[in-house]
Amino acid sequence: MKKLIIPIGVLLLSNLTYAQLSTISNTENYIQTKVYLDYNGTSPTKSSEAVQYFDGLGRPKQIVNLQASPSGKDVVTHIEYDQFGRQVKNYLPVPQLSTSNGNYYSGPLGVYPTAYGNEKIYSEKVLENSPLDRVLEQKQVGNDWNGKSVKFGYEANSTEDKVRKWICK
């Protein structure tokens, strides 16, 4: 029995240490995914690769799609939180000027004027100041939608409202 357990334990530990070594990032938490889109029988010919980075609380903060633009450059989706940890801005994916093989981009929004011009590249939500975090107003992507937001209202029954209880027998 001992002859069987020791080799299996060594095999598992070698895979564990191999998983900790990375060429992408030594300082950021991330998950790397690779989806094979085409396979010719011996090797994959086409694949889609993405790296998702997380902050210290386990929330996603950036998604890098490797060579996803038509010119073969990286496409980065920036994720931002307010001071209460709520995601109030949803950014469009921004094509970068180069590829970094999945490394974290420190300023991914700096190049958006080349792709989107002067348009607003995020939708935003205005949340109420309560622990419920209900949406009060929502603005869509683009400068034209800035003045045309969707507003939400929340009300409760007053003392004048009659609530009836119907019982069927």
Side-chain angles (χ1 to χ4, degrees):
M1 185 71 175
K2 203 185 274 187
K3 290 181 182 180
L4 184 63
I5 293 176
I6 292 174
I8 291 174
V10 170
L11 182 65
L12 291 174
L13 285 176
S14 66
N15 284 341
L16 181 67
T17 58
Y18 176 73
Q20 299 300 323
L21 300 175
S22 170
T23 59
I24 292 179
S25 176
N26 292 331
T27 59
E28 301 290 336
N29 299 322
Y30 68 93
I31 294 176
Q32 181 179 7
T33 58
K34 189 169 192 176
V35 178
Y36 295 106
L37 304 172
D38 192 15
Y39 190 76
N40 66 2
T42 58
S43 63
T45 57
K46 203 180 212 185
S47 65
S48 170
E49 193 169 348
V51 180
Q52 186 173 12
Y53 289 96
F54 297 92
D55 64 2
L57 298 174
R59 301 175 300 185
K61 65 178 180 177
Q62 189 176 92
I63 301 169
V64 179
N65 294 310
L66 276 76
Q67 300 175 351
S69 72
S71 61
K73 308 294 189 235
D74 291 347
V75 177
V76 177
T77 304
H78 177 70
I79 301 170
E80 183 178 300
Y81 300 96
D82 67 354
Q83 66 269 20
F84 298 112
R86 306 175 296 191
Q87 187 178 356
V88 293
K89 291 183 181 180
N90 294 326
Y91 285 90
L92 291 175
V94 178
Q96 300 299 305
L97 299 176
S98 64
T99 182
S100 69
N101 296 325
N103 286 322
Y104 182 77
Y105 284 91
S106 59
L109 300 177
V111 296
Y112 87 86
T114 60
Y116 296 109
N118 292 327
E119 288 292 317
K120 185 179 84 164
I121 64 166
Y122 57 88
S123 64
E124 57 184 324
K125 295 182 240 175
V126 177
L127 304 173
E128 72 177 4
N129 293 329
S130 78
L132 297 176
D133 292 337
R134 294 187 291 194
V135 178
L136 294 177
E137 185 177 1
Q138 190 168 6
K139 297 177 185 176
Q140 295 301 321
V141 177
N143 294 337
D144 292 338
W145 292 104
N146 227 3
K148 301 175 181 112
S149 62
V150 177
K151 297 184 180 178
F152 299 90
Y154 303 96
E155 296 180 5
N157 289 339
S158 66
T159 56
E160 291 109 27
D161 292 336
K162 296 188 181 206
V163 179
R164 295 193 167 109
K165 180 179 177 184
W166 299 92
I167 298 175
C168 296
K169 293 184 181 184

